[in-house]
Amino acid sequence: MRLIVAQDYNAMSRRAAQMVAKLVRAKPEAAIMVPTGDTPRGFYAELAAIHRRDEFDVSRLRVFQLDEYLGVGARDPNSFQTWITRAFLDPLGIAASRLVRLPGDADDAAAACRAYDERMRSAGGCDIAVLGLGWNGHLGFNEPPADPASPTRVVALSAETVASNGRYWGAGARVPNQALTCGMANILAARHKLVLVSGERKREILRRVVTGPVSPETPATYLKASDQVTVLADAAAWPWPVPEQDKVAADRV
Ligand code: PGA
């Protein structure tokens, strides 16, 4: 696992966008898994800015949605699909047909999850999974305790995760307490994992991930036992000297 500490949120976002743009230039047909949340907003904006300056081919990308609320349709303004379309697909001119959805409104959500894993298999796996770090160490909606071999599936969200996501839904809204999530197996099997972590509110969980033991109670710690992982944090999330410990190579940007 490589920990890179950028001086601030903008530097983190820029660096992430440069890494992904480089990968897409080298492999225009890449399969990329994309997150929602507060953290990646700057990354998507920077990626769109790079694409405007120096158009690279995104027509062959395969975009895999990381997670979605159960019972929330594609057209719902609160769906993650709407979010991804607005933040990523539309600004880069990526056709909606390139998105492999996790359909929150599927009649048979379990079958839809199996179909998603099948699409991932036929894509030859994921080239890069861009991830946020949840307040409790979740990746996607893989809440603790998580099985590293878990498939894409329907999960129950913890009360804290529901509350934390409430900020996107507005006062009084009923936030779903179930979701579809890409499983840990496909996340960990991605050829690159890029985890974006920003802000003081992620400090303690990031410290637990970097310095703590690998544990199902903190799903992101499985990344430490996996290859090709870059944790890209800003200095608010990692204000300490970068540790010299095994497998954590440090860099400052
Ligand atoms: P955030 O969400 O980027 O909004 O903090 C991350 C997550 O919960 O996975």
Side-chain angles (χ1 to χ4, degrees), residues 89-112:
L89 302 184
D90 283 354
L92 277 91
I94 300 171
S97 60
R98 307 305 299 170
L99 179 69
V100 178
R101 297 178 59 207
L102 280 171
D105 54 352
D107 289 338
D108 184 343

Side-chain angles (χ1 to χ4, degrees), residues 36-40 66-67 131-135 138-141 161 164-165 167-168 196 198 201-202:
T36 53
D38 277 339
T39 313
L66 176 61
D67 46 13
L131 303 159
L133 176 63
W135 68 278
H138 69 214
L139 297 177
F141 274 139
T161 293
S164 154
N165 288 348
R167 66 189 191 278
Y168 302 121
L196 306 182
S198 169
R201 73 190 175 94
K202 295 291 171 68

Side-chain angles (χ1 to χ4, degrees), residues 20 24 30-36 40-41 43-45 47-49 51-52 55-66 68 74 79-102:
V20 171
V24 175
I32 173 169
M33 196 186 299
V34 290
T36 53
R41 285 180 196 281
F43 153 71
Y44 289 121
L47 193 59
H51 188 254
R52 273 196 303 277
E55 210 164 297
F56 50 89
D57 180 16
V58 291
S59 65
R60 285 179 284 156
L61 272 184
R62 286 152 309 166
V63 181
F64 284 82
Q65 193 177 344
L66 176 61
E68 182 61 276
S79 77
F80 283 171
Q81 185 180 345
T82 300
W83 198 102
I84 289 289
T85 301
R86 200 178 303 137
F88 180 50
L89 302 184
D90 283 354
L92 277 91
I94 300 171
S97 60
R98 307 305 299 170
L99 179 69
V100 178
R101 297 178 59 207
L102 280 171

Side-chain angles (χ1 to χ4, degrees), residues 1-2 131-148 150 183-184 187-188 193-197 202 204-227 229-231 248:
M1 190 162 90
R2 189 160 76 118
L131 303 159
L133 176 63
W135 68 278
N136 56 359
H138 69 214
L139 297 177
F141 274 139
N142 290 280
E143 297 269 58
D147 179 342
S150 56
M184 289 300 294
I187 291 176
L188 295 173
K193 276 79 64 177
L194 175 60
V195 190
L196 306 182
V197 193
K202 295 291 171 68
E204 281 317 310
I205 186 63
L206 179 57
R207 178 149 67 173
R208 205 180 330 147
V209 171
V210 172
T211 64
V214 176
S215 159
E217 296 308 323
T218 312
T221 58
Y222 289 123
L223 293 168
K224 288 152 60 116
S226 177
D227 291 332
V229 180
T230 302
V231 176
V248 181

